[in-house]
Amino acid sequence: MATKAKAASLKVKLVKSLIGAKDDQIATAVSLGLKKIGDERVQPDNAQTQGKIKKISHLVEVTKA
């Protein structure tokens, strides 16, 4: 019986406030599903997600899920 490989994913948590952030950084956080401090979302580990995380790296904490 073959097992299906699980896709890699990342847990992204907003640790700093979006107040004072640039509009494009706020939009990036919202696109990841992060609106308030403490919000956590599991995202697929792909190039698109990596780019979003890089843009707001100073506001988030990332761990392997």
Side-chain angles (χ1 to χ4, degrees), residues 43-55:
Q43 298 288 337
D45 188 6
N46 57 32
Q48 183 178 7
T49 304
Q50 291 289 342
K52 290 177 182 181
I53 290 170
K54 185 175 179 182
K55 188 173 192 84

Side-chain angles (χ1 to χ4, degrees), residues 8-12 32 34 40-45 49 64-65:
S9 58
L10 299 171
K11 187 183 292 186
V12 185
L32 287 170
L34 307 171
E40 284 186 26
R41 296 291 181 266
V42 176
Q43 298 288 337
D45 188 6
T49 304
K64 298 264 185 193

Side-chain angles (χ1 to χ4, degrees), residues 14-33:
L14 188 64
V15 293
K16 290 195 176 180
S17 175
L18 294 174
I19 295 173
K22 296 178 181 176
D23 290 340
D24 60 334
Q25 292 172 337
I26 294 170
T28 301
V30 171
S31 74
L32 287 170

